[in-house]
């Protein structure tokens, strides 16, 4: 005999705004007083199903849990089959529908089948009575929060003060203000540390808080880095899974990083990619606040917000899924396909449709009446054909048929990463990171590939002769002024000085736009300096290149290596002085202001290159004002 309980509540918030909160089943279970769970390693359980365990009322409860099914923002469903405890099986379904008042009708159904006599006693009382009361309280709390919060924010649902030492917190906050950070910004950070729930503090993304606080990204990143340096926060290296975008691996130091990581939730092994997988996050320092993160639910829809829908299809079954898709790229993914678990995936490979996947390219509808409902049909068997499907933006109906002899899990996934992530690739190009954490490095012999980095080399010409002519003291002052110009402009665009070699530097930037902007600003400032110091003007050569490289550890510090770096160094030697030289292939991808600049296309013979390389030379264009000033 199975028991079925169906409860309905009218809530004030529409489904789209309420969904991110009610689908966060991990947070929901914590608020409802459900005990924490643990993942049990059992080879008899076939992926993607997990074996989970909890302790409650002196009983050990153990069950097999396949992935949730859902269609955002309408419904989710989970089926649990129990091995130990008073239950044999339980099915939970939540549905959200708009009501006539502009809010939502939430329908929550629990189907529970007892395994023994205790189950017949527990189900009516514990589920039918107590759970109903607790769940209604939580749903109404979430509804109230949704009325005052943007849907993408995970606000504190149960603020708690767990600061170990309030005096230490205030001391460190004062130190940040003394370092030059805005008092209100520091107050926001300390308030977050005092009041936010543990799961919001375990992996803090500075760019996310920059957006929420409406503060410049660079400023908030620097705040978090300095807070880590003085002991208010701890910096950590998270290795995110490309499938679920969770962080199963979190490291205290970069030298603990392995080239591959494994996700126990998705059962896949993947590459530790600096541009996507390896992320820099923060958590409160244990001396300030202890953060403990128990797991209450591993598979809820909010755990993978990039998945808009996920469905189990039985052999021969056809499902129709209706979704509202914005313009962008999506993927129909099939994580129960054998290749899903066997391959070692890079993030570039992950974005490429395999024969058994399909990419959905969604474009705005061109109809005069606005978005129209479009249809697409897919067959799951040995392959999906075609691999790319173009759909109109708006309401989309997908008909999916499983012609295989095995059940399959199918998901609709956004093919983009959250824009609030501070990746390792970007962190390594930040001057503040290099200054504050100079000993963070990969272990000896390890290298990580990055697909795009921009490298700038500079060299000051004539400095040796100047030292001989005027002496070490005056010459050093001029060289130091030149280094200040370089550092100021490199740091201003989010770049870093990787190393200095005599009077030369090697700089790194996340994009070619940033690198060229820094170089142009350097040339402009050099011109200004020379106008004020005509007795011995600075003569600076600059060479820039952009492309793939290896991140390695040289002389105890993070460095870049490869043909992109070598060519940038060779291009610097092509400069005639106070001139930037870069490949034409890089130049043509950029938008460079013409006014005030001389742009010269040429070819250069580069040592080690078989053919002449098309290059561009950029220098300050002489103007009457500048020409008179230089006389």
């Amino acid at each position: 005999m199975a028991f079925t309980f169906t409860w309905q509540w009218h809530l004030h918030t529409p489904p789209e705004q309420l969904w991110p909160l009610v689908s966060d089943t991990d947070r929901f279970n914590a608020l409802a007083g459900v005990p924490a769970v643990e993942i049990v390693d059992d080879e008899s359980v076939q992926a993607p199903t997990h074996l989970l365990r909890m302790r409650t009322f002196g009983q050990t409860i153990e069950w097999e849990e396949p992935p949730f099914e859902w269609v955002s923002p309408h419904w989710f469903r989970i089926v649990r089959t129990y091995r130990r405890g008073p239950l044999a099986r339980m099915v939970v379904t939540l549905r959200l529908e708009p009501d006539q008042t502009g809010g939502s009708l939430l329908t929550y159904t629990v189907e529970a089948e007892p395994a023994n006599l205790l189950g017949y006693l527990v189900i009516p009382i514990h589920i039918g009575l107590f759970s109903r009361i607790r769940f209604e309280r939580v749903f109404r709390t979430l509804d109230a929060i949704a009325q005052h919060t943007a849907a993408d924010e995970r606000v504190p649902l149960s603020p708690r003060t767990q600061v170990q030492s309030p005096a230490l917190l205030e001391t460190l906050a004062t130190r940040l203000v003394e370092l030059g950070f805005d008092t209100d910004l520091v107050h926001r950070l300390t308030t977050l540390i005092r009041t936010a729930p543990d799961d919001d503090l375990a992996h803090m993304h500075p760019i996310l808080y920059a957006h929420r606080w409406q503060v410049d990204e660079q400023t908030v990143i620097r705040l978090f880095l300095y807070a880590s340096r003085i002991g208010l926060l701890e910096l950590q290296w998270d290795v995110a899974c490309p499938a679920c975008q969770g962080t199963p691996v979190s490291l205290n130091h970069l030298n603990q990083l392995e080239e591959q990581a494994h996700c126990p939730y998705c059962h896949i092994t993947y590459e530790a990619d600096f541009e996507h997988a390896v992320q820099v996050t923060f958590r409160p320092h244990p001396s300030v606040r202890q953060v403990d993160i128990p797991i209450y639910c591993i598979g809820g829809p909010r755990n993978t917000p990039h998945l808009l829908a996920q469905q189990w299809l039985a052999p021969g079954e056809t499902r129709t899924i209706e979704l509202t898709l914005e313009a962008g790229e999506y993927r129909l993914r099939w994580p129960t396909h054998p290749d899903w678990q066997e391959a070692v995936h890079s993030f570039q490979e992950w974005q490429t449709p395999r024969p058994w996947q399909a990419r959905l390219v969604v474009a705005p509808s061109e109809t005069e009446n606005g978005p129209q409902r479009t249809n697409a049909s897919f067959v799951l068997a040995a392959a999906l054909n075609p691999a790319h499907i173009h759909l109109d933006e708006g309401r989309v109906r997908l008909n999916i048929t499983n012609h295989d002899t095995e059940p399959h899990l199918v998901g609709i996934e956004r093919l983009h990463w959250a824009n609030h992530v501070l990746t390792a690739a970007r962190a390594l190009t930040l001057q503040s990171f290099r200054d504050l954490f100079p000993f963070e490095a990969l272990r000896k012999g390890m290298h990580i590939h990055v697909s795009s980095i921009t490298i700038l080399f500079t060299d000051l010409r004539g400095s040796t002769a100047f030292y001989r002519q005027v002496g070490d003291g005056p010459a050093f002052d001029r060289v130091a002024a030149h280094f200040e110009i370089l550092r100021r402009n490199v740091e201003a665009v989010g770049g870093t000085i990787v190393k200095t070699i005599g009077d030369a530097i090697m700089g790194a930037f996340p994009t070619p736009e940033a690198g060229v902007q820094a170089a142009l600003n350097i040339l402009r400032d050099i011109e200004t300096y020379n106008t004020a110091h005509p007795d011995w003007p600075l003569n600076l050569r600059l060479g820039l290149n952009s492309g793939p490289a290896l991140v390695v550890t040289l002389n105890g510090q993070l460095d870049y290596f490869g043909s992109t770096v070598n060519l940038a160094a060779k291009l610097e030697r092509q400069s005639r002085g106070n001139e930037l030289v870069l490949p034409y292939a890089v130049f043509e991808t950029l938008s460079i202001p013409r006014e005030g600049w001389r742009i010269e296309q040429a070819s250069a013979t580069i040592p080690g290159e078989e053919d002449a390389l098309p290059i561009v030379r950029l220098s300050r264009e002489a103007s009457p004002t500048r020409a008179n000033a230089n006389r």
Side-chain angles (χ1 to χ4, degrees), residues 422-588:
L422 176 58
T423 64
R426 181 175 175 184
L428 266 56
T429 64
L430 294 173
Q431 190 64 52
S432 51
F433 171 79
R434 294 269 183 170
D435 292 344
L436 297 173
F437 300 93
F439 301 112
E440 283 288 346
L442 297 169
R443 69 175 186 273
K444 185 177 180 180
M446 184 179 180
H447 60 264
I448 297 290
H449 177 269
V450 292
S451 64
S452 180
I453 189 73
T454 297
I455 300 295
L456 174 70
F457 278 95
T458 73
D459 191 20
L460 187 63
R461 299 181 65 185
S463 59
T464 302
F466 191 48
Y467 272 96
R468 288 198 302 266
Q469 180 176 338
V470 303
D472 290 346
F476 176 79
D477 291 341
R478 294 290 176 89
V479 173
H482 136 269
F483 275 126
E484 173 56 29
I485 291 173
L486 297 180
R487 180 185 174 91
R488 180 176 67 248
N489 287 293
V490 167
E491 187 172 0
V493 298
T496 187
I497 295 178
V498 177
K499 57 188 174 184
T500 59
I501 312 108
D503 298 333
I505 72 159
M506 172 185 170
F509 304 87
T511 64
E513 290 83 3
V516 170
Q517 184 63 57
L520 298 183
N521 291 342
I522 288 168
L523 289 173
R524 188 180 288 113
D525 285 357
I526 290 289
E527 181 186 55
T528 302
Y529 182 91
N530 288 343
T531 300
H533 302 83
D535 54 328
W536 194 277
L538 299 174
N539 192 355
L540 190 68
R541 301 189 305 196
L542 300 94
L544 178 143
N545 192 26
S546 186
L550 294 178
V551 181
V552 299
T553 298
L554 291 177
N555 300 319
Q557 292 186 319
L558 289 166
D559 205 341
Y560 296 95
F561 180 81
S563 58
T564 296
V565 179
N566 292 339
L567 182 55
K570 293 175 182 178
L571 290 172
E572 174 263 304
R573 292 192 283 273
Q574 294 288 325
S575 173
R576 298 169 298 200
N578 292 340
E579 177 183 75
L580 170 66
V581 179
L582 70 161
Y584 179 78
V586 175
F587 170 81
E588 67 177 350

